[in-house]
Amino acid sequence: MSSQVDLTKVKPYGDTLNDGRMQFSFTLPVPFGDEADEAAKQLLIKMGIEEPSIVYSEDLGVGYTFFTAYGKCQHTVDYSSIEVPKVDVEIMDKYGVEDFIKEHIKRDVVIVGACTGTDAHTVGIDAIMNMKGFDGHYGLERYHGIEAINMGSQVPNEELIAKAIELNADAIVVSQVVTQKDVHILNLTNMIELIEAEGLRDKIILICGGPRINHELAKELGYDAGFGPKTYAEHVASFVVNQIVDRNMI
Amino acid sequence: MSKLNLDFNLVAEARKSAKVIADDIQLMIDQHTTVAVERTVVRLLGIDGVDDIERPLPNVIVDEIKDKGGLSMGLAYWIGNAMIETGKTPQEIAEAVAAGELDLMQLNQNDALKVQAVVTEKAKEMVAIIANNRKDRDAYLERLGEGPKPYLYLIVATGNIYEDVLQAQAAARQGADVIAVIRTTGQSLLDFVPYGPTTEGFGGTYATQENFKIMRKALDEVGEEIGRYIRLCNYCSGLCMPEIAAMGAFERLDVMLNDALYGILFRDINMQRTLIDQYFSRIINGFAGVIINTGEDNYLTTADAVEEAHTVLTSQFINEQFALNAGLPEEQMGLGHCFEMNPNIENGFLMELAQAQMAREIFPDAPLKYMPPTKYMTGNIFKGHVQNTLFNAVSIMTNQGIQLLGMLTEAIHTPFLQDRALSIENAKYVFSNMKDLGSEIEFKKDGIIQKRAQEVLNDSVKMLKEIEEEGLTNSIAKGKFAEVKRTMTSGKGLEGVVKKDDKYFNPFIELMLGGQ
Ligand code: B12
């Protein structure tokens, strides 16, 4: 019963409230054997896990060992004080956005987008921008009052910015899917630097998105908003049109 | 015997259309060469290394000839001519050009036939090295043996070749038969092949000849230890298709991704450029005994897997004809297909089973490359592991050739050491536990499975007819594959395409076309 849960001291749930039970799986670069299991156990204890039990371990073939383990977490978190930065805007549907533009902006909104750098993934940016959209949600190209230009993938930041300048765009939307070795951070940071060097930062709405992007990260990097999985065009559109009004970019 | 009650007259019709389509492209191919083809010629003549600003010598020498307008004659002519005039080896010639001491086009120009004789002599020597590598592979296979089909194909992608070695050896000990070193993002668009061992890549590791050598040695060692030959795979796609094929031939790679259509659709490489490059790269792969892998499976990551299944079959038919034109036999054609339907579809498994069986029956001798679910893999790794299990079940029931093992973490990162181990365990379990299921069962006449396969074949025959009418390049421009549109002149690398002169000469085509 949820009434018993103390939201200021939340712990993992196994089969009894506050039992703290968690499951783990990981590899240690040590040879398979009793010492390996003991090493895994000690590591879990250091992580704040009580009564760790290594329920399975396997030799991975190069002197490394894989473990599955269970244990009881002794830490708690205060759920009641959590605040997650979120894109703070009321999401309108396509028609809502179109009406909003007619009423408050009274001109076409121009949005330029691409998957930048060496990243060749287009499905994410297409989901947001192309006519067809994604999961039954139409993309920006289909919105009356929005001119959406999708430049595709592998687009250098410089080219995306040049296009935005050429079209006098209101917003630039960037997709980043490959994140290995933080290549997306490098690339997104480079984008901000170029925009600032052009003196454009205040004149344009900057948005990034991708499976490993969230609003908090985007803000940290200097973007106006960031969107992760399960984003649809209406999320981006609602944010952009509100920003245009709020920032007096009409 | 067809379990699917397929109409093999339709299959024959499809092949006929595909042949017309491929032959039409061949006319364009035969009239042109590219900077990548010519760099390959000089590599095959033994030129390697970099100049003092890290430019690969094949690029230095080809760019110079191109800038001075000599590319249409082919590099074989210019190198051969310089061999006669200077008495130097091709490598010495390249070094002299890089040092600015030699201008190949300023030399006295010998009669074409005389040059051809000299350069062919050298080419034969080099081709013998590749033929020997092939014999070495056969000897290894004879002595060590290999795993049963479907081969377990695992990727390593750390970005660091030395870390890759560790992961590859672990995978081999766990049961892998093929190790593929995925290339770093961005390499396909480089118009040169980087040089030397590399330790920095994103989402993959640079394909360099030295990296090939390092991994080859590591796999040979672990193969000896576990008593099984481990195949090495890398990627020819991108702006350097034939060059990478040549490097693979020198370093005894066994499997190579080789598909111009993939480069066109998914890397925006210019179609003329890459189709010309593909031809020469397949000739080299064919001669080196390399199994090629084609990339049809990728279409269903951007297009719907149910609606567009026939585009995969269509492309397989076309790829088969391109391969045959390059002298690459069916036994080396790892045509691609995949298990990519949305897991929420009722009876999706039956459709996947139908299509996998269909591919098997239509290309009986091809070591089909079967790709795991990727698009509908999510952060729910537990469900992902189950999706991969169903995929493995289809594969063993339909006798696939190369099983690209799915990772439970597909939606998250390139594989961890433990992810690979879990996948191998999954595949081995299913392959052993269901080993003979395929030969025990038949499919209900006119049932869901038979009907699905027949439908896909019908759609493919229709599509091939349309492409035959309008030509492959126009079909691609209309977005018929993967819903991606590319035109004859769009994309990267067109500036590297040159029309051949009447006196153009490439000794390797004659020496390698048609296998051994
Ligand atoms: C399809 C796919 C491909 C296709 C891409 C086809 C195409 N034209 O896009 C192909 C086969 C070509 C491909 C190639 C590669 N891929 Co890939 N690919 C995938 C796959 C299977 C699905 C991605 C996808 O389409 N998802 C569906 C879309 C709709 O989701 P999404 O991108 O998350 O988008 C949503 C949100 O994130 C958001 N969003 C996304 N962008 C934006 C932008 C804005 C502005 C906004 C507001 C929102 C937003 O909204 C979208 C809709 O809700 C994933 C694995 C997976 N299951 O996720 C791997 C994956 C992404 N690929 C990966 C890799 C490494 C590669 C390669 C680099 C491999 C290689 N070395 O060759 C190459 C790419 C080379 C290059 N230069 O980039 C890795 C990335 C690992 C990492 N974390 O870095 C993954 C995770 C697979 C893996 N485990 O290795 N890939």
Side-chain angles (χ1 to χ4, degrees):
Chain A
M1 275 246 309
S2 64
S3 58
Q4 296 171 304
V5 179
D6 177 357
L7 290 180
T8 64
K9 291 201 186 79
V10 173
K11 262 189 167 190
Y13 179 98
D15 66 358
T16 309
L17 185 63
N18 291 330
D19 62 7
R21 302 283 300 203
M22 292 179 77
Q23 65 192 40
F24 302 85
S25 66
F26 57 94
T27 299
L28 288 180
V30 296
F32 176 76
D34 294 342
E35 290 75 14
D37 285 7
E38 182 55 28
K41 243 190 209 169
Q42 289 191 15
L43 187 71
L44 288 167
I45 291 171
K46 284 194 177 167
M47 287 166 66
I49 304 303
E50 288 173 335
E51 298 172 41
S53 122
I54 308 301
V55 297
Y56 180 72
S57 51
E58 184 176 318
D59 185 354
L60 288 184
V62 275
Y64 290 13
T65 308
F66 175 55
F67 308 94
T68 305
Y70 283 85
K72 296 180 176 173
C73 179
Q74 43 177 310
H75 299 299
T76 62
V77 290
D78 180 359
Y79 178 84
S80 62
S81 68
I82 284 174
E83 267 176 59
V84 179
K86 285 192 188 139
V87 180
D88 185 20
V89 62
E90 200 183 311
I91 305 302
M92 299 175 273
D93 67 6
K94 174 168 172 284
Y95 304 104
V97 170
E98 291 172 345
D99 290 345
F100 187 98
I101 296 173
K102 252 189 245 152
E103 200 169 317
H104 300 290
I105 305 182
K106 304 186 177 73
R107 63 167 173 86
D108 274 3
V109 170
V110 181
I111 303 179
V112 186
C115 182
T116 55
T118 57
D119 199 329
H121 294 88
T122 56
V123 183
I125 191 75
D126 289 352
I128 303 297
M129 301 199 75
N130 287 7
M131 212 50 102
K132 183 167 137 195
F134 183 59
D135 245 6
H137 298 247
Y138 288 134
L140 297 176
E141 274 178 9
R142 198 146 184 148
Y143 284 54
H144 293 292
I146 292 185
E147 191 189 333
I149 298 94
N150 179 358
M151 296 176 70
S153 64
Q154 305 181 122
V155 177
N157 286 327
E158 290 82 354
E159 272 179 35
L160 178 55
I161 295 172
K163 192 68 166 185
I165 295 174
E166 178 197 324
L167 299 173
N168 201 7
D170 296 287
I172 294 181
V173 299
V174 181
S175 178
Q176 286 288 276
V177 177
V178 178
T179 61
Q180 215 199 15
K181 303 218 167 122
D182 281 343
V183 64
H184 63 309
I185 307 279
L186 275 172
N187 195 35
L188 288 170
T189 309
N190 172 257
M191 178 78 187
I192 293 280
E193 286 165 2
L194 291 171
I195 292 266
E196 279 173 357
E198 292 276 349
L200 280 177
R201 186 63 196 88
D202 298 333
K203 302 188 190 96
I204 208 150
I205 301 162
L206 255 183
I207 294 174
C208 57
R212 297 279 98 74
I213 306 278
N214 58 47
H215 189 54
E216 192 173 5
L217 172 70
K219 287 298 253 190
E220 253 169 51
L221 296 175
Y223 287 73
D224 294 309
F227 294 90
K230 302 214 168 94
T231 305
Y232 302 121
E234 58 261 31
H235 299 122
V236 182
S238 301
F239 181 77
V240 169
V241 295
N242 271 293
Q243 282 273 303
I244 292 178
V245 172
D246 293 351
R247 283 165 61 175
N248 220 345
M249 293 168 62
I250 301 167
Chain B
M1 248 298 284
S2 172
K3 278 190 185 173
L4 296 167
N5 205 6
L6 291 177
D7 179 352
F8 278 87
N9 292 322
L10 281 180
V11 174
E13 249 178 69
R15 283 212 161 84
K16 227 169 82 197
S17 295
K19 181 160 172 42
V20 175
I21 294 163
D23 287 351
D24 175 45
I25 298 289
Q26 193 63 38
L27 295 176
M28 184 276 293
I29 294 171
D30 289 339
Q31 288 173 19
H32 296 90
T33 185
T34 74
V35 284
V37 167
E38 297 309 317
R39 292 195 300 258
T40 309
V41 169
V42 306
R43 278 186 191 275
L44 288 171
L45 286 171
I47 295 175
D48 193 12
V50 286
D51 70 3
D52 47 16
I53 53 164
E54 295 289 310
R55 279 189 311 164
L57 293 184
N59 286 69
V60 173
I61 194 163
V62 168
D63 288 351
E64 174 145 331
I65 296 283
K66 179 166 187 272
D67 291 345
K68 293 181 174 160
L71 202 63
S72 58
M73 292 279 284
L75 260 286
Y77 175 80
W78 296 112
I79 302 281
N81 189 58
M83 285 167 76
I84 296 171
E85 288 296 308
T86 65
K88 291 179 195 273
T89 66
Q91 178 69 17
E92 288 163 355
I93 291 168
E95 284 166 9
V97 171
E101 289 157 10
L102 183 62
D103 183 338
L104 298 183
M105 293 180 64
Q106 289 301 320
L107 295 172
N108 172 43
Q109 291 181 19
N110 290 274
D111 167 63
L113 284 178
K114 183 174 165 197
V115 174
Q116 284 177 19
V118 170
V119 84
T120 302
E121 204 51 41
K122 177 74 192 169
K124 279 185 179 155
E125 244 174 67
M126 300 302 291
V127 165
I129 297 177
I130 297 173
N132 268 329
N133 282 342
R134 190 172 176 153
K135 283 191 200 125
D136 285 349
R137 178 191 303 117
D138 292 343
Y140 267 111
L141 283 169
E142 176 82 12
R143 189 161 60 79
L144 295 179
E146 58 176 345
K149 280 185 183 164
Y151 299 142
L152 305 188
Y153 174 120
L154 275 299
I155 65 167
V156 296
T158 68
N160 178 333
I161 188 64
Y162 301 107
E163 206 67 49
D164 285 345
V165 160
L166 176 108
Q167 304 234 348
Q169 291 192 328
R173 292 195 186 105
Q174 289 155 9
D177 300 304
V178 183
I179 297 292
V181 184
I182 304 284
R183 293 184 313 171
T184 175
T185 57
Q187 178 160 15
S188 344
L189 302 187
L190 300 180
D191 216 335
F192 62 91
V193 184
Y195 183 75
T198 69
T199 53
E200 272 171 39
F202 299 104
T205 307
Y206 282 102
T208 72
Q209 191 163 340
E210 191 57 30
N211 286 351
F212 287 4
K213 202 191 281 293
I214 292 169
M215 188 57 86
R216 176 74 277 164
K217 184 162 166 277
L219 295 184
D220 284 346
E221 277 169 17
V222 73
E224 291 285 353
E225 173 199 312
I226 59 183
R228 199 171 76 244
Y229 183 65
I230 308 295
R231 288 184 165 81
L232 174 57
C233 172
N234 211 293
Y235 293 65
C236 292
S237 52
L239 285 171
C240 300
M241 285 185 85
E243 275 183 284
I244 296 181
M247 290 164 24
F250 283 135
E251 304 303 334
R252 192 174 18 93
L253 268 69
D254 309 285
V255 181
M256 299 196 90
L257 278 284
N258 185 317
D259 195 346
L261 283 165
Y262 179 81
I264 296 166
L265 299 170
F266 296 102
R267 293 294 186 285
D268 196 13
I269 303 202
N270 174 264
M271 59 171 92
Q272 301 183 54
R273 164 68 180 266
T274 190
L275 285 163
I276 300 162
D277 286 349
Q278 171 177 274
Y279 174 61
F280 193 31
S281 71
R282 286 193 180 180
I283 290 177
I284 298 167
N285 282 166
F287 181 78
V290 165
I291 296 175
I292 64 164
N293 281 176
T294 57
E296 285 82 359
D297 41 277
N298 296 289
Y299 304 167
L300 303 185
T301 64
T302 52
D304 184 81
V306 178
E307 301 294 316
E308 302 294 322
H310 63 286
T311 61
V312 169
L313 179 59
T314 301
S315 178
Q316 289 173 328
F317 276 122
I318 298 172
N319 255 324
E320 176 185 47
Q321 294 305 318
F322 277 141
L324 290 172
N325 281 350
L328 194 135
E330 204 77 33
E331 290 72 17
Q332 286 170 238
M333 285 182 208
L335 300 171
H337 63 141
C338 60
F339 184 100
E340 280 283 21
M341 283 177 203
N342 186 333
N344 295 336
I345 297 172
E346 197 171 61
N347 283 327
F349 182 87
L350 277 66
M351 287 194 272
E352 297 283 16
L353 184 61
Q355 289 169 207
Q357 178 67 26
M358 172 193 75
R360 180 70 291 158
E361 290 186 7
I362 294 178
F363 306 100
D365 299 322
L368 296 173
K369 176 198 76 160
Y370 197 34
M371 285 285 286
T374 65
K375 183 176 171 179
Y376 289 101
M377 294 294 280
T378 66
N380 182 352
I381 55 172
F382 304 101
K383 177 164 183 194
H385 209 47
V386 179
Q387 288 168 262
N388 287 331
T389 306
L390 295 191
F391 159 68
N392 288 332
V394 169
S395 181
I396 194 67
M397 288 171 72
T398 58
N399 191 17
Q400 299 299 315
I402 300 175
Q403 180 81 342
L404 223 127
L405 291 194
M407 297 290 137
L408 75 173
T409 53
E410 166 65 31
I412 308 163
H413 48 233
T414 48
F416 283 2
L417 193 62
Q418 64 206 38
D419 300 342
R420 250 184 245 106
L422 289 167
S423 294
I424 292 172
E425 184 182 44
N426 178 333
K428 278 184 159 172
Y429 168 47
V430 173
F431 288 179
S432 146
N433 220 245
M434 301 176 75
K435 188 164 188 299
D436 291 312
L437 183 60
S439 56
E440 288 287 316
I441 54 173
E442 288 171 6
F443 300 133
K444 186 165 126 191
K445 185 155 181 338
D446 295 331
I448 299 173
I449 295 175
Q450 285 202 352
K451 281 220 171 102
R452 172 65 186 172
Q454 290 160 6
E455 173 194 330
V456 173
L457 174 59
N458 277 327
D459 288 350
S460 173
V461 172
K462 235 188 283 160
M463 182 175 180
L464 281 160
K465 287 246 159 67
E466 281 164 29
I467 301 176
E468 188 182 343
E469 290 277 296
E470 64 189 6
L472 181 61
T473 57
N474 291 328
S475 304
I476 295 172
K478 285 188 180 163
K480 288 206 170 162
F481 294 100
E483 293 178 6
V484 176
K485 295 178 183 163
R486 310 286 189 208
T487 69
M488 276 292 266
T489 51
S490 74
K492 298 166 177 84
L494 180 59
E495 67 287 348
V497 177
V498 172
K499 215 170 169 85
K500 288 182 194 167
D501 189 276
D502 293 341
K503 293 200 284 291
Y504 175 88
F505 176 62
N506 174 353
F508 295 101
I509 295 198
E510 199 171 312
L511 291 174
M512 291 182 167
L513 186 63
Q516 288 130 312

